[in-house]
Amino acid sequence: MQRNISIQHPNRSFLETTRIDNWWVGPLLTSIGLLAFIFYSTWAAFQNEHYQWGPYLSPFYAPLLEFEWWPLSPAFLILWAPAGFRFTCYYYRKAYYRSFFLTPSACAVGARPQKYRGERFLLVFQNLHRYFLYIALIFCVILSYDAIVSFSFENGLGVGVGSIIMTLNAVFLTAFTLGCNSLRHLVGGNVDCYSCASFGHQRYQAWKFVSLFNVHHNFWAWISLFWVGFTDLYIRLVSMNIITDYRIL
Amino acid sequence: MESYEVKEHDVLVIGAGGAGLRAAIEASAQGVSVGLVCKSLLGKAHTVMAEGGMAASLSNADPRDNWEVHFRDTIRGGKHINNWQMVEIFCQEAADRVSELEEWGALFDRTKEGLIAQRNFGGHRYPRLAHVGDRTGLELIRTLQNYGIHQGFEVYMECCVVELIKEKDQVCGAFGFWRESGQFIVFKAKSVVLATGGLGKVYRVTSNSWEGTGDGHALAYRAGAELVDMEFVQFHPTGMVWPPSVQGILVTEGVRGEGGILKNSDGKRFMFEYIPDAFAAETSDSEEEASRWLKGDPEARRPPELLTRDVVAKAIRSERIAGRGSPHGGAFLDIASQRDAEYIKKKLPSMYHQFMKLGNLDITSTPMEVGPTCHYVMGGVRVEPETAMTTVKGLFAAGEVAGGLHGANRLGGNSLTDLLVFGARAGFHSAKYSKEIAEALNPSEDLLKKMERFSLEPFDPERTENPYSVMADLQETMEINAGIVRTKDEMEKGLELLQDLKNRGEKVRVEGNRQYNPAWHYALDLKNLLCVAEAITLAALNREESRGGHTREDFPESSEYFQNVNSFISDKEGSMFIENREREPMPEHLEKLL
Amino acid sequence: MAEAQFKVFRGEGAKGELFEFPVEVTEGMVVLDAVQQIQSRHANDLAVRWNCRAGKCGSCSAEVNGKPRLMCMTRMDELSLDVPVLIEPMRGFPHMKDLVTDVSRNYEINKKIRPLTPKPRETDGTYRMQQEDIERIQEFHKCIECFLCQNVCHVIRDHSVKEFAGPRFLIRIASLAMHPLDTLNRLKELKDVFGLGYCNITKCCTEVCPENIKITDNGIIPLKERVAGAFYDPLAWLWKNLTSNSKKIPEKNK
């Protein structure tokens, strides 16, 4: 009945676990997804061409800031903002702390041994997330404007597949931004007593509203990430004449 | 003899559920040194299992409510044999005890006016139970715990008391051991408060945890205190009956309070058939009226599912015996047809969770199967109503371990409030008592030696019995011979079997060492369980009538003689002695409330 | 009747062995039933904590097949019984015996948290709070103190950071900080005493919580935002310095 296996408690070495499920699948998929996006978006930003076609403008280049003094692709003038928003986003932080930093890679799996300082010292800038939020809110407006413009073709109003893709892009990004934890704090999360604070009830409603998106923040994070890349790719391929934009109306 | 760790306090509180914590808080507030001993970790006591709420006539939900109506309900629910002095104190102080919890951080559900919301419960005339969803007990214990840790009393976690120490007719401490190390510890104290909770573990089907082994009842009995009303054990009508491994786990009465109905296998709402005459005037007699009540019609009378627990438990049992039980021998409790899914999840979240997880059943769409489970003991250590002192000097008792308040049947929601009201009183008066004593008496060496010897006996390799088997047999014996319905023959047989079990109990053998050895703990608990099992059976045999939680098949009616008496059990030269004594008549100002 | 194999860690003070036991499986059984069966049939002195059997007291925390869980809420039919079921004590705490660990540090941390300091009652002797005021903190009050979150949190488990309170106590502080009646400002101690900054929101606490409390999203992140507002937001800092002439951090103004 007995089998003598000595095990040492409590410390476990790096990646050691007694979990028998495929705990590594999650962090692996996350790394693949994030790396794929980083590579593609960096490549696309360097291209400095094929980001426009008809009424369509790639979100990597929106708003289009072309200056003579800027030698590189205009994408770099704006990409830092959404990149910063996502990098400091509470959801993405979880994602890359798990899949890249390996602190820890999964629950009850040995974390990477290191002098652990959490989000203090070097990572204290994560607290500036709210400033990226302010910018991201502006981007939501800009991308929505671009989405509206995408229905205005040279020969008048119309609907192309690209218009729909760009509209969805604006929707997904807005849904992602509306679920932001900093926004949730700002609109009402910082109130302790809604029934005593001024505009308390309204702030409670706003907090509730943001919470609706916040619950699925990771879902919106991924769908908007994928879609923004896909939107760029679509416009790029159309502009390169590899595919043709289909006019629905 | 080993050297013992010795701790000295003015007041020693045994048990850290609601009553123990409240007592420790109150005693500390009187400026004395307090020690609080608990068998488990702090905050794990059985109080966390209380679901429905705590009764207090705050009259937030219905302005017609006041302490007098609460008094009436409690006495009627207790079938008129309650200690009316206790009930009076209880109903008058309930509201203050509940509302002070808010100051300490408790968050009750609210009314639209921002006050504490109150819900309906069996036997309560008006919505009276302050609640937090269906986890009120957790809120109560956490509030007391988090407030208590700053009041300066010492907490001894995972520490078991084996025996009280008594010198010169006065309790002066306790002898126990640390579960972790198995080392003995001696508490010297000027007074001791018992707050050990119940004894559900004498039955097989019970909502109680392993801790409910009647320790306080047995400690007090052995210290010479009197036990009162021990025949009255409450079988909660709605425990889970399936799956087998969770049999007995409680389904809160809140389900019925929120509109749940009981049906038999024919789909019939059977409670209409079981309305006792005494409650006919205030109970709906048709489904139509009951459904108007649910919609909030103040003219409609309460549905019969909200009759007192004894009535409902017996009704479910009768349906089962008549062959109309559910597949696993219970009845169907249906809230899905009465309330929408969102409401159920909001008001009964942990029930939803419990059934989803343990029973694989969605209560928002499917009826639950429920049946009676041993839940609470109304009887207990006899105490002075004002001071909560027992018949032994320096020994106090509060909460479930104390008897008298609930009479023959406890109303749901009265228990949590009981913990607060009498916990506070026991804490106050034990502190007062301790202040009047110069120094705690020293326990004699001989006594400690005896206790040590007794505690270590189970390690004797000559012994043969498995503590788990003896405990299981004891529970089965009580289930059959002194269960929800009782007869003389069965109980006499039960007393004989208990003698056998006692003999076996003395041969219990424990393997391993003293460190965190549950078998040893069970072996020591066994002595207490056997003691309370005998007390219950003896008292049940003595009461030749049916009343509240005590049902005799051979005496199905209530008798006038027994209405006026309570039974008292005490130790007379080593054996259990029972006598009936008449209750002091109720004064006129209370009598007229009924 | 079906039979399963269990491998249970037994030992004292961090050293021990895995013992294999047969378990008779019945319908609806949970892991705690199995462990108790082992206890009554094969290993009477197997040390294990349990109380309520219904997921309400949070005593029977352990690691089942490597995952931190309540044994009473882990049904046997959700485990694969083809391989032995592995039962170990929580690894995040000092080991005592068999499945029992020393969780006393949790009680010490709790004691460091300043108790609720309520504002005065209304003139009618009541406290007025609306359901919407307390909804958020009622979620935190669901905590049953099983300490699974403390156990799984890598800051405690792998890095043994002493000055980190851990998820259970961060949500307890959150329940006080967001309490409509509380008058204390708890942000500085959150940052300096309770080590909020150590949390890197990897959400294992939320993953293991048997009460499904969204510890990170609803408790810790909102606290981080409050601390960010009080200490790391340059504009807020500027505003505070321009508008207030005293350097004291004002207590929460109700």
Side-chain angles (χ1 to χ4, degrees):
Chain A
M1 188 190 299
Q2 305 175 354
R3 208 163 49 145
N4 293 358
I5 311 163
S6 290
I7 64 166
Q8 188 74 36
H9 270 257
N11 292 321
R12 278 177 160 157
S13 49
F14 183 37
L15 294 185
E16 193 198 333
T17 184
T18 43
R19 278 177 71 166
I20 53 172
D21 56 340
N22 298 326
W23 57 267
W24 43 269
V25 171
L28 185 68
L29 288 178
T30 306
S31 331
I32 293 171
L34 291 180
L35 284 174
F37 181 82
I38 292 168
F39 282 124
Y40 176 76
S41 57
T42 314
W43 175 82
F46 269 111
Q47 291 312 297
N48 204 3
E49 57 177 352
H50 299 303
Y51 51 79
Q52 262 178 313
W53 183 86
Y56 305 157
L57 172 64
S58 158
F60 287 169
Y61 290 78
L64 193 52
L65 304 175
E66 288 172 313
F67 302 108
E68 279 178 16
W69 47 265
W70 182 251
L72 296 171
S73 157
F76 291 109
L77 284 174
I78 57 123
L79 273 187
W80 59 270
F85 182 53
R86 287 188 194 259
F87 189 80
T88 58
C89 161
Y90 286 93
Y91 167 70
Y92 282 103
R93 273 144 76 179
K94 171 203 168 187
Y96 62 78
Y97 289 146
R98 277 200 186 192
S99 50
F100 295 142
F101 286 48
L102 308 176
T103 50
S105 44
C107 305
V109 173
R112 189 168 54 88
Q114 56 160 326
K115 171 119 184 61
Y116 179 78
R117 289 176 153 181
E119 298 198 314
R120 298 140 56 91
F121 300 98
L122 285 177
L123 291 174
V124 78
F125 69 88
Q126 304 279 31
N127 286 305
L128 296 178
H129 184 48
R130 55 186 62 184
Y131 288 93
F132 287 107
L133 164 72
Y134 306 147
I135 303 170
L137 286 168
I138 300 170
F139 269 74
C140 289
V141 175
I142 293 170
L143 290 170
S144 303
Y145 172 79
D146 287 349
I148 293 165
V149 168
S150 74
F151 291 92
S152 146
F153 292 87
E154 272 172 21
N155 50 0
L157 287 181
V159 179
V161 170
S163 326
I164 295 186
I165 290 174
M166 285 186 63
T167 307
L168 283 176
N169 181 50
V171 168
F172 292 156
L173 277 172
T174 308
F176 171 56
T177 311
L178 281 180
C180 171
N181 286 291
S182 291
L183 184 65
R184 193 169 177 232
H185 169 75
L186 291 169
V187 299
N190 53 355
V191 180
D192 294 332
C193 179
Y194 294 106
S195 61
C196 344
S198 43
F199 299 104
H201 186 66
Q202 288 75 8
R203 293 167 82 177
Y204 174 73
Q205 294 296 343
W207 175 80
K208 274 288 231 204
F209 178 74
V210 170
S211 300
L212 286 178
F213 292 93
N214 181 265
V215 174
H216 305 290
H217 202 38
N218 57 344
F219 168 77
W220 294 117
W222 279 108
I223 191 99
S224 64
L225 188 77
F226 170 78
W227 205 262
V228 74
F230 175 70
T231 310
D232 175 85
L233 180 69
Y234 180 84
I235 295 166
R236 187 169 300 281
L237 293 177
V238 171
S239 140
M240 288 163 83
N241 284 323
I242 297 173
I243 56 172
T244 317
D245 183 55
Y246 179 71
R247 275 290 287 277
I248 301 165
L249 288 169
Chain B
M1 191 169 121
E2 295 183 14
S3 62
Y4 306 118
E5 182 181 355
V6 180
K7 292 282 175 186
E8 201 168 338
H9 290 288
D10 293 323
V11 174
L12 180 73
V13 181
I14 304 174
L21 275 164
R22 190 62 188 81
I25 289 171
E26 196 61 34
S28 297
Q30 304 311 312
V32 298
S33 136
V34 180
L36 178 65
V37 188
C38 49
K39 279 203 315 190
S40 288
L41 296 169
L42 187 61
K44 306 293 180 196
H46 207 63
T47 307
V48 297
M49 295 293 286
E51 290 157 354
M54 45 187 111
S57 51
L58 301 162
S59 45
N60 290 345
D62 195 318
R64 289 173 291 181
D65 200 14
N66 56 45
W67 79 264
E68 293 171 328
V69 188
H70 193 184
F71 179 89
R72 164 193 171 273
D73 292 347
T74 304
I75 296 277
R76 280 167 53 109
K79 318 293 170 191
H80 302 273
I81 65 151
N82 319 50
N83 180 318
W84 51 262
Q85 285 124 316
M86 286 177 87
V87 182
E88 185 181 14
I89 292 171
F90 170 77
C91 295
Q92 286 175 343
E93 295 180 3
D96 285 347
R97 291 291 85 77
V98 169
S99 66
E100 87 194 339
L101 289 178
E102 275 197 299
E103 217 160 295
W104 301 345
L107 289 167
F108 296 103
D109 288 350
R110 315 306 294 182
T111 64
K112 284 199 172 61
E113 295 76 38
L115 297 167
I116 298 173
Q118 296 179 278
R119 70 154 49 116
N120 278 299
F121 235 59
H124 291 284
R125 174 116 196 219
Y126 301 116
R128 187 176 287 146
L129 269 69
H131 61 277
V132 188
D134 53 4
R135 48 166 195 81
T136 316
L138 175 67
E139 187 76 13
L140 170 66
I141 200 164
R142 206 62 84 227
T143 302
L144 293 176
Q145 177 188 345
N146 287 332
Y147 178 76
I149 54 175
H150 298 288
Q151 306 311 308
F153 54 79
E154 191 87 25
V155 182
Y156 301 87
M157 288 201 277
E158 302 204 302
C159 186
C160 297
V161 167
V162 180
E163 208 67 85
L164 295 176
I165 299 171
K166 205 174 131 188
E167 294 287 343
K168 296 184 190 148
D169 293 331
Q170 188 171 322
V171 166
C172 59
F175 179 86
F177 64 92
W178 292 101
R179 292 174 73 201
E180 180 190 345
S181 63
Q183 298 298 309
F184 292 120
I185 178 167
V186 173
F187 294 100
K188 280 174 67 182
K190 294 176 187 168
S191 65
V192 173
V193 178
L194 292 173
T196 52
L199 45 71
K201 270 293 165 194
V202 293
Y203 290 95
R204 182 171 57 80
V205 181
T206 175
S207 63
N208 289 194
S209 82
W210 69 271
E211 290 190 290
T213 48
D215 296 0
H217 297 81
L219 290 175
Y221 169 79
R222 289 199 294 265
E226 267 185 342
L227 305 180
V228 61
D229 294 342
M230 288 302 286
E231 62 272 38
F232 295 109
V233 176
Q234 182 170 73
F235 290 83
H236 194 289
T238 61
M240 287 175 86
V241 295
W242 192 92
S245 64
V246 295
Q247 197 180 11
I249 290 179
L250 197 65
V251 179
T252 175
E253 189 165 327
V255 175
R256 282 171 286 140
E258 298 295 347
I261 59 171
L262 286 162
K263 290 197 267 194
N264 61 20
S265 59
D266 303 337
K268 187 171 179 241
R269 193 170 168 183
F270 59 81
M271 277 311 297
F272 289 106
E273 320 270 307
Y274 294 92
I275 303 171
D277 294 342
F279 289 90
E282 54 198 61
T283 309
S284 304
D285 52 13
S286 68
E287 294 200 30
E288 180 271 330
E289 186 178 0
S291 88
R292 273 195 287 126
W293 177 88
L294 188 62
K295 291 192 185 99
D297 179 352
E299 298 303 313
R301 293 169 297 176
R302 311 160 57 75
E305 278 81 7
L306 286 176
L307 285 163
T308 54
R309 289 176 174 175
D310 53 327
V311 177
V312 182
K314 277 181 269 180
I316 294 177
R317 188 175 176 277
S318 305
E319 286 295 308
R320 188 181 65 206
I321 289 169
R324 295 188 295 267
S326 68
H328 301 98
F332 292 107
L333 174 59
D334 177 16
I335 183 140
S337 65
Q338 304 293 310
R339 298 280 191 185
D340 64 67
E342 272 320 298
Y343 184 88
I344 297 170
K345 283 188 207 168
K346 174 123 182 59
K347 281 294 186 184
L348 303 161
S350 62
M351 281 304 107
Y352 173 75
H353 188 215
Q354 179 176 318
F355 272 90
M356 210 54 166
K357 201 80 190 157
L358 296 172
N360 232 347
L361 182 136
D362 181 355
I363 65 166
T364 64
S365 61
T366 323
M368 300 159 246
E369 268 190 73
V370 294
T373 176
C374 173
H375 183 54
Y376 189 88
V377 58
M378 275 69 74
V381 185
R382 183 192 149 204
V383 292
E384 267 315 299
E386 289 280 332
T387 61
M389 180 138 97
T390 67
T391 46
V392 174
K393 274 202 279 179
L395 184 63
F396 296 76
E400 190 173 350
V401 68
L405 171 64
H406 304 295
N409 173 60
R410 173 174 70 81
L411 294 185
N414 270 359
S415 174
L416 287 186
T417 321
D418 173 17
L419 307 181
L420 296 173
V421 171
F422 290 102
R425 278 191 168 258
F428 180 84
H429 288 282
S430 61
K432 192 168 164 227
Y433 177 91
S434 294
K435 282 185 193 167
E436 288 159 8
I437 289 182
E439 203 176 346
L441 296 168
N442 272 318
S444 75
E445 291 276 301
D446 284 352
L447 188 65
L448 296 181
K449 252 186 217 164
K450 209 175 108 199
M451 290 175 179
E452 175 189 332
R453 208 168 43 240
F454 161 76
S455 306
L456 294 176
E457 272 169 0
F459 288 103
D460 180 356
E462 302 286 298
R463 295 172 150 226
T464 47
E465 290 285 348
N466 178 335
Y468 296 88
S469 323
V470 180
M471 194 179 282
D473 292 346
L474 167 64
Q475 291 163 345
E476 198 59 42
T477 303
M478 288 300 284
E479 196 80 32
I480 294 169
N481 296 293
I484 183 166
V485 173
R486 301 152 175 182
T487 64
K488 182 162 186 265
D489 295 347
E490 279 171 354
M491 284 187 287
E492 281 172 348
K493 177 88 189 303
L495 283 174
E496 275 170 39
L497 291 170
L498 286 176
Q499 272 311 319
D500 286 352
L501 286 162
K502 257 193 204 165
N503 296 335
R504 283 174 67 195
E506 280 163 18
K507 295 197 202 84
V508 160
R509 157 98 173 104
V510 172
E511 287 163 21
N513 60 23
R514 280 161 63 178
Q515 280 166 343
Y516 220 107
N517 187 338
W520 184 34
H521 310 157
Y522 277 18
L524 294 176
D525 289 344
L526 205 51
K527 187 179 174 189
N528 298 335
L529 276 176
L530 283 160
C531 171
V532 293
E534 191 183 346
I536 292 171
T537 315
L538 200 64
L541 192 59
N542 162 68
R543 185 170 283 269
E544 296 184 328
E545 65 156 356
S546 292
R547 180 181 297 275
H550 170 69
T551 306
R552 289 282 297 258
E553 204 162 58
D554 40 2
F555 296 97
E557 300 300 320
S558 298
S559 94
E560 203 172 314
Y561 166 71
F562 278 107
Q563 171 152 336
N564 295 321
V565 298
N566 294 81
S567 69
F568 295 87
I569 286 180
S570 58
D571 177 84
K572 283 266 152 58
E573 284 137 24
S575 58
M576 218 172 250
F577 172 78
I578 186 161
E579 64 177 329
N580 293 321
R581 291 207 294 265
E582 223 168 282
R583 213 171 18 262
E584 216 179 297
M586 203 182 281
E588 205 181 326
H589 75 281
L590 295 176
E591 187 72 54
K592 74 173 203 286
L593 299 177
L594 304 173
Chain C
M1 210 161 281
E3 194 172 271
Q5 290 296 313
F6 268 64
K7 280 201 279 187
V8 181
F9 180 85
R10 300 205 62 188
E12 276 170 42
K15 291 225 166 53
E17 295 166 12
L18 290 176
F19 285 72
E20 207 159 312
F21 300 102
V23 167
E24 199 182 297
V25 182
T26 55
E27 201 176 4
M29 197 171 184
V30 294
V31 167
L32 181 62
D33 295 322
V35 169
Q36 287 185 310
Q37 197 189 95
I38 292 169
Q39 200 183 40
S40 65
R41 292 186 190 172
H42 309 294
N44 281 187
D45 58 342
L46 175 69
V48 54
R49 283 197 184 104
W50 67 277
N51 277 24
C52 78
R53 314 175 52 86
K56 292 203 173 77
C57 75
S59 300
C60 61
S61 308
E63 301 192 3
V64 180
N65 283 339
K67 278 193 183 170
R69 320 196 51 165
L70 288 182
M71 291 191 280
C72 71
M73 296 304 268
T74 308
R75 284 168 62 104
M76 296 283 282
D77 55 17
E78 57 182 280
L79 302 173
S80 153
L81 300 181
D82 305 335
V83 289
V85 179
L86 179 67
I87 311 284
E88 297 169 288
M90 291 192 283
R91 294 211 172 210
F93 302 113
H95 185 242
M96 277 162 54
K97 184 182 170 190
D98 301 343
L99 300 178
V100 175
T101 53
D102 175 7
V103 293
S104 56
R105 181 171 171 261
N106 296 303
Y107 291 89
E108 286 157 25
I109 300 169
N110 197 29
K111 222 170 167 171
K112 283 198 221 156
I113 300 173
R114 291 191 287 165
L116 180 84
T117 310
K119 62 181 182 186
R121 288 176 180 270
E122 308 283 328
T123 44
D124 64 356
T126 64
Y127 280 122
R128 301 275 172 155
M129 291 180 266
Q130 290 297 324
Q131 193 66 36
E132 64 185 35
D133 295 329
I134 60 169
E135 229 165 47
R136 264 185 314 180
I137 32 181
Q138 278 189 330
E139 181 188 7
F140 308 142
H141 279 217
K142 286 190 330 195
C143 173
I144 56 174
E145 295 201 333
C146 62
F147 302 131
L148 286 172
C149 57
Q150 301 284 98
N151 167 54
V152 81
C153 177
H154 70 108
V155 183
I156 297 168
R157 187 185 175 97
D158 295 324
H159 306 297
S160 313
V161 176
K162 292 277 170 289
E163 53 273 41
F164 180 59
R168 192 287 169 256
F169 300 102
L170 292 177
I171 60 155
R172 170 145 146 67
I173 301 170
S175 77
L176 291 165
M178 298 177 188
H179 200 298
L181 300 181
D182 192 45
T183 53
L184 299 182
N185 185 319
R186 300 168 187 273
L187 297 180
K188 187 155 169 46
E189 65 218 50
L190 262 171
K191 180 169 83 74
D192 298 336
V193 181
F194 298 108
L196 182 68
Y198 281 104
C199 169
N200 70 348
I201 49 176
T202 33
K203 296 195 185 177
C204 284
C205 49
T206 305
E207 245 174 70
V208 300
C209 180
E211 284 291 310
N212 298 318
I213 302 171
K214 300 274 175 279
I215 300 175
T216 327
D217 281 323
N218 292 346
I220 297 180
I221 293 177
L223 288 181
K224 281 191 172 243
E225 280 300 313
R226 287 175 177 219
V227 168
F231 300 102
Y232 299 112
D233 186 331
L235 284 182
W237 179 82
L238 206 64
W239 176 253
K240 203 161 63 194
N241 277 276
L242 288 177
T243 51
S244 97
N245 38 20
S246 101
K247 287 228 164 119
K248 268 199 326 218
I249 300 171
E251 291 286 284
K252 213 154 54 169
N253 218 352
K254 292 286 156 76

